[in-house]
Amino acid sequence: MTKSSIKAASSLDTLFASATVVHRRNFLTAGAAAFGAAMVPAGATVAEAKQAAATAITEQDRQYMTQAIDLMRKAGVVEKTGGAFGAVIVRNGEVLSATGNSVLRDNDPSAHAEVNAIRAACKKVGAPNLRGATMYTSCECCPMCYATAYWARLDRIFYAASWTDYADLFDDSNIGADMKKPYAKRQVKIAQMMRGDAQKVWQEFRTLPDRARY
């Protein structure tokens, strides 16, 4: 066996070991994209190899993203329920939710496609977390949508358009910049009050054996 073939075999073993993306039994149907991701550079760390596997794009991924982009157009161009955003959440090959932005229809500034999708998926599975799931979103997540995905324990997010593709319409980067400022200088002013009263509730909550955990 040549050195190059040894490296290839080692890389494939690394990919197979990552249950997040490709299992051994599914490798032949994973497509060339997954195989390409398996060919990580020689000397790459285990973490780098896992990252390469976790972001490998398959034909199935493209189909889910196509669905998200269709929902994007439906929400923003056809039905005009809100901005042009769509999202699909999938776990173990099952579509848990597929939604568009509905800020205008629902008069709800939090009704972004990703938040709508996470809410619907959590309701479907009957739990406040989506471990093992992947979200396909037509556009890069805003801070609110990423935070919601973080709390939902999503494994991965794939996105199509970047913030810079629509910054003239929805400039999400402004939120990140604003959050870096001191409270007194933010667009929405923030001030603290009655901290002691709130701390008492936290002390009570902390002692509950059946307190909420998520």
Side-chain angles (χ1 to χ4, degrees):
M1 183 178 289
T2 65
K3 290 184 178 180
S4 60
S5 60
I6 291 174
K7 288 180 181 178
S10 176
S11 297
L12 289 177
D13 285 339
T14 299
L15 178 64
F16 288 141
S18 175
T20 305
V21 178
V22 180
H23 297 274
R24 285 182 183 270
R25 64 180 179 276
N26 293 332
F27 180 74
L28 292 178
T29 60
F35 182 83
M39 306 304 288
V40 295
T45 65
V46 173
E48 290 170 340
K50 287 184 177 180
Q51 176 64 19
T55 55
I57 298 174
T58 69
E59 184 56 36
Q60 188 69 67
D61 291 324
R62 294 181 184 280
Q63 291 176 16
Y64 293 135
M65 183 60 80
T66 296
Q67 186 177 359
I69 293 173
D70 287 344
L71 289 165
M72 169 194 187
R73 185 173 185 277
K74 180 180 179 181
V77 178
V78 180
E79 296 185 355
K80 300 179 181 177
T81 56
F85 302 94
V88 175
I89 295 178
V90 180
R91 183 164 66 185
N92 298 328
E94 178 187 5
V95 175
L96 299 180
S97 61
T99 62
N101 182 293
S102 60
V103 168
L104 298 182
R105 184 192 68 195
D106 299 340
N107 292 317
D108 180 355
S110 71
H112 289 198
E114 298 94 330
V115 173
N116 285 345
I118 291 169
R119 286 172 175 164
C122 286
K123 185 175 182 179
K124 180 172 183 176
V125 303
N129 71 73
L130 299 169
R131 289 183 177 86
T134 296
M135 180 163 66
Y136 302 84
T137 174
S138 63
C139 303
E140 194 170 1
C141 287
C142 74
M144 176 184 70
C145 292
Y146 177 78
T148 307
Y150 183 94
W151 278 109
R153 313 304 188 203
L154 283 166
D155 276 15
R156 300 184 304 171
I157 298 173
F158 285 110
Y159 68 92
S162 298
W163 283 356
T164 53
D165 295 329
Y166 52 93
D168 58 318
L169 302 170
F170 299 93
D171 195 354
D172 293 335
S173 63
N174 283 343
I175 301 174
D178 191 55
M179 290 183 69
K180 294 178 181 179
K181 299 176 182 177
Y183 283 164
K185 295 184 178 181
R186 293 188 186 182
Q187 182 170 328
V188 179
K189 299 300 182 288
I190 300 175
Q192 188 174 31
M193 60 183 291
M194 299 181 66
R195 182 183 182 187
D197 291 352
Q199 286 178 324
K200 291 177 183 178
V201 178
W202 276 120
Q203 291 170 0
E204 182 181 7
F205 178 81
R206 190 173 285 109
T207 63
L208 296 176
D210 58 345
R211 66 179 181 273
R213 292 179 172 85
Y214 51 84

